[in-house]
Amino acid sequence: MTHMHITSWVIALILVFVAYGLYSSGNSKGAKITHMILRLFYIIVIITGAQLFLMFTAWNGEYIAKALLGLITIGFMEMLLIRRKNGKAATGIWIGFIVVLLLTVVLGLRLPLGFKVF
């Protein structure tokens, strides 16, 4: 289950950059299709993350923080694309996205269900 979760959020990250680039280049039809596929991956990420969360019986504050950071990361991903679609500046959203993404990944790797990197 951990591999499916990681694979789904890696694909979601790739799709964010692809959709952002398509919105930037003016290809709105391709960007809309990519954005809709990305939204499907949001659901997959949330479902696999919830399964991992419920699978582990010794919950603590770190798991809850990881779940909240994951949801905030998805929110930032969506905000980035909507701001780009509307032609508005997204510098602050980019900074927030990168910070929250790094915190989410580091915390996920640190937890017992993650890979033993730290």
Side-chain angles (χ1 to χ4, degrees):
M1 184 56 63
T2 304
H3 293 290
M4 191 156 93
H5 182 65
I6 292 172
T7 302
S8 63
W9 64 254
V10 167
I11 292 171
L13 281 175
I14 292 168
L15 288 172
V16 164
F17 291 114
V18 169
Y20 193 86
L22 289 171
Y23 278 128
S24 296
S25 69
N27 184 353
S28 72
K29 185 174 182 176
K32 282 182 181 182
I33 292 169
T34 307
H35 199 167
M36 292 306 291
I37 295 169
L38 175 62
R39 288 177 175 155
L40 173 66
F41 273 90
Y42 291 158
I43 294 169
I44 295 169
V45 169
I46 291 170
I47 289 172
T48 58
Q51 286 178 336
L52 285 171
F53 184 77
L54 296 173
M55 195 170 86
F56 194 65
T57 57
W59 294 339
N60 58 27
E62 289 178 324
Y63 281 100
I64 295 168
K66 167 68 171 62
L68 289 175
L69 283 172
L71 291 173
I72 293 168
T73 303
I74 290 173
F76 271 120
M77 291 162 77
E78 187 66 19
M79 285 190 289
L80 274 172
L81 294 178
I82 296 299
R83 302 249 332 158
R84 187 68 206 153
K85 178 182 174 182
N86 293 334
K88 297 181 180 177
T91 306
I93 305 290
W94 270 110
I95 293 168
F97 168 66
I98 291 168
V99 169
V100 172
L101 177 66
L102 288 175
L103 287 172
T104 305
V105 170
V106 168
L107 186 56
L109 291 174
R110 186 182 173 286
L111 291 171
L113 286 178
F115 295 109
K116 302 300 179 213
V117 176
F118 301 111

